[in-house]
Amino acid sequence: MKLTRSRRAILVIGFAAVFPWAGHAESLAIRNCTWCHGVSAHGYSPAPGLAGQRREYIQNQLKNFSEHTRDNPFSRLYMWGATANLSPATAHGLAFYFSTLSPQAANDGNRELEAEGRSIYQLGMPDSNTAACVVCHGPNAEGVGEIPRLGGLAYTYLKRRLEQWGEGYHAAARPPMPRIASKLSANQIEALASYLSFVK
Amino acid sequence: MGLQFVSRAAILAVLFTTAGRAQDAVSRHDLQAKMDYCKTCHGSSGQGFRAYYSIPRLAGQQPEYLTNQLQAFSERRRTNNIMFNVAHVLTPAMQKALVTDFHELNPKPLGGAPKDLVTAGKKIYEEGIPSADIPPCASCHGPDAKGNEQFPRLAGQLHDYIFNKLTNWSKERGQKPGEPDVSAIMEPIAHGLTEPQVKAVAAYVSYLE
């Protein structure tokens, strides 16, 4: 009887501990992201902003990192390790958390290329069979579902990502991005990355 | 005899040259590149695609309808900046090749519509709504919704795309009253349908193969 009571006491203490610990674990997980992505998750070169990013997109990318299908050098260096022991539940929680934060434009592109970038984004380039980005990513580059927000991400990040499609990284990504981006010229990439860095 | 042979040879030469030109007008490579470009947004088999916008199915669509719409985009009878840009660079030969190729595709419908609306939609599609002066859709679009010449195929079309068109008809179609087209027939019908009726009929046709 005495033993049962003490067992019960241990159980009660145990349960009481689970919930605060769970909260603590979550904030620890967030802290692990914000070391690089910034305390407000607005990005900190080379880590992209996560604030206001689409939940499904973040979740998919965390999966891609942990399965090593997103494979550019910084992914290998930072994100493969960061996601190695991430449970699906934590990934979901993180994705939800960052998707609810307000994004902020990086504003670090070249203003002189903004108009050209806007034209490519909004209208595409029919002569070279390049589809308009707006069709999938939305009029304010806000993204939808699995399709990422691009608006306000850093010029440096966007430029490298756009270049990397043509270099063969992340080849397992869902079409059509590998095909579209690998056809962009260096100037077109700079223009797009510049324009998007200013989109609020 | 000699003269006849020469004139025959000349006719043949002309025929071959013309045939050669017709083939040259759109090379296999250019057509493939343009098809891939269209499929970027319209789906890898032309089955339609849901991204920020709902982009319509082109697979199995009537060539006459597609040609008319491409012209409507470039003449601004149909409002869409992106498709204006896409359409106005197409040569007539490229247009013809594209609409022919899309007509031949036959992927499964993309799906996604609420299935509980299908029965009500079928009734509207086949019988119309006499009390609201809505004719049966089947009378123009065909009993199997495959369309006919300028009347579009609706079978397998994205239900959300159909909803967006029918509830926004006058802002997108027939924008040049001086150049009326077949879309004028749809205007009073689109206005006469209530939103639940549009949803029902869109759900029904979206599942047809």
Side-chain angles (χ1 to χ4, degrees):
Chain A
M1 187 67 174
K2 243 187 171 175
L3 191 68
T4 319
R5 246 161 121 188
S6 64
R7 267 191 192 159
R8 199 174 289 160
I10 289 167
L11 271 178
V12 168
I13 292 164
F15 269 116
V18 160
F19 293 103
W21 170 244
H24 184 54
E26 193 165 308
S27 61
L28 262 185
I30 289 168
R31 191 70 195 106
N32 280 340
C33 304
T34 55
W35 289 122
C36 294
H37 290 275
V39 272
S40 307
H42 291 148
Y44 190 73
S45 185
L50 300 176
Q53 188 50 278
R54 298 289 137 201
R55 181 182 61 73
E56 295 93 325
Y57 173 75
I58 300 178
Q59 235 178 310
N60 279 350
Q61 297 313 301
L62 289 172
K63 191 159 174 281
N64 288 343
F65 291 128
S66 70
E67 291 171 354
H68 297 182
T69 51
R70 187 166 166 178
D71 54 357
N72 55 327
F74 283 133
S75 301
R76 287 168 183 266
L77 185 59
Y78 297 107
M79 292 308 297
W80 284 14
T83 55
N85 296 312
L86 210 56
S87 72
T90 308
H92 180 89
L94 288 172
F96 178 80
Y97 170 75
F98 287 113
S99 73
T100 60
L101 303 181
S102 303
Q104 193 181 67
N107 289 326
D108 60 345
N110 180 348
R111 281 279 179 198
E112 285 173 15
L113 299 177
E114 190 184 0
E116 187 192 342
R118 180 189 291 113
S119 168
I120 298 173
Y121 184 89
Q122 299 287 350
L123 297 172
M125 295 177 288
D127 289 312
S128 63
N129 294 327
T130 305
C133 319
V134 66
V135 174
C136 291
H137 292 277
N140 292 307
E142 60 271 64
V144 59
E146 297 179 356
I147 299 165
R149 165 188 293 279
L150 303 176
L153 291 176
Y155 165 83
T156 43
Y157 172 76
L158 290 162
K159 179 170 177 287
R160 275 308 290 144
R161 284 287 281 146
L162 284 168
E163 288 167 349
Q164 280 162 351
W165 296 107
E167 294 164 8
Y169 291 112
H170 207 189
R174 226 175 91 167
M177 269 320 289
R179 195 175 57 78
I180 296 179
S182 60
K183 289 196 312 182
L184 296 170
S185 73
N187 288 342
Q188 289 161 352
I189 285 178
E190 281 179 32
L192 273 172
S194 289
Y195 165 66
L196 289 166
S197 79
F198 298 119
V199 174
K200 289 190 176 68
Chain B
M1 184 74 173
L3 190 64
Q4 214 178 351
F5 175 75
V6 169
S7 64
R8 268 192 194 160
I11 289 168
L12 279 176
V14 169
L15 281 177
F16 275 120
T17 318
T18 326
R21 269 198 206 130
Q23 275 171 359
D24 285 347
V26 181
S27 75
R28 188 174 284 272
H29 173 268
D30 287 355
L31 176 59
Q32 188 57 49
K34 194 59 88 175
M35 280 297 277
D36 287 345
Y37 164 65
C38 301
K39 289 172 177 175
T40 308
C41 294
H42 289 276
S44 53
S45 308
Q47 76 276 32
F49 183 55
R50 288 192 179 94
Y52 191 88
Y53 302 102
S54 277
I55 305 145
R57 174 189 175 106
L58 302 179
Q61 189 51 274
Q62 294 292 333
E64 292 84 349
Y65 171 76
L66 289 178
T67 307
N68 186 31
Q69 295 312 302
L70 286 169
Q71 279 166 5
F73 287 127
S74 36
E75 292 166 10
R76 305 261 195 209
R77 280 184 281 125
R78 184 170 172 182
T79 313
N80 185 314
N81 280 339
I82 295 167
M83 283 306 299
F84 167 79
N85 235 25
V86 169
H88 88 279
V89 301
L90 300 178
T91 63
M94 179 61 89
Q95 267 197 27
K96 193 169 181 219
L98 288 172
V99 302
T100 308
D101 276 19
F102 273 111
H103 179 66
E104 284 162 11
L105 298 176
N106 189 26
K108 293 265 185 241
L110 198 61
K115 292 216 162 135
D116 57 342
L117 300 178
V118 165
T119 313
K122 184 177 187 335
K123 191 171 160 64
I124 296 172
Y125 189 86
E126 290 173 353
E127 297 169 23
I129 310 166
S131 61
D133 269 342
I134 303 291
C137 317
S139 49
C140 291
H141 294 276
D144 51 4
K146 293 275 164 66
N148 180 26
E149 298 189 352
Q150 287 203 24
F151 298 117
R153 172 190 170 119
L154 301 176
Q157 190 53 275
L158 274 58
H159 69 103
D160 33 356
Y161 170 78
I162 297 179
F163 180 84
N164 293 341
K165 296 306 111 181
L166 286 177
T167 54
N168 200 35
W169 197 266
S170 308
K171 287 184 182 152
E172 285 186 34
R173 309 269 181 139
Q175 296 303 298
K176 283 195 170 175
E179 296 171 46
D181 59 30
V182 73
S183 75
I185 297 173
M186 271 308 292
E187 190 167 18
I189 302 170
H191 287 172
L193 289 164
T194 65
E195 286 203 1
Q197 288 162 348
V198 170
K199 281 185 180 160
V201 81
Y204 169 64
V205 295
S206 75
Y207 285 109
L208 296 177
E209 291 185 17

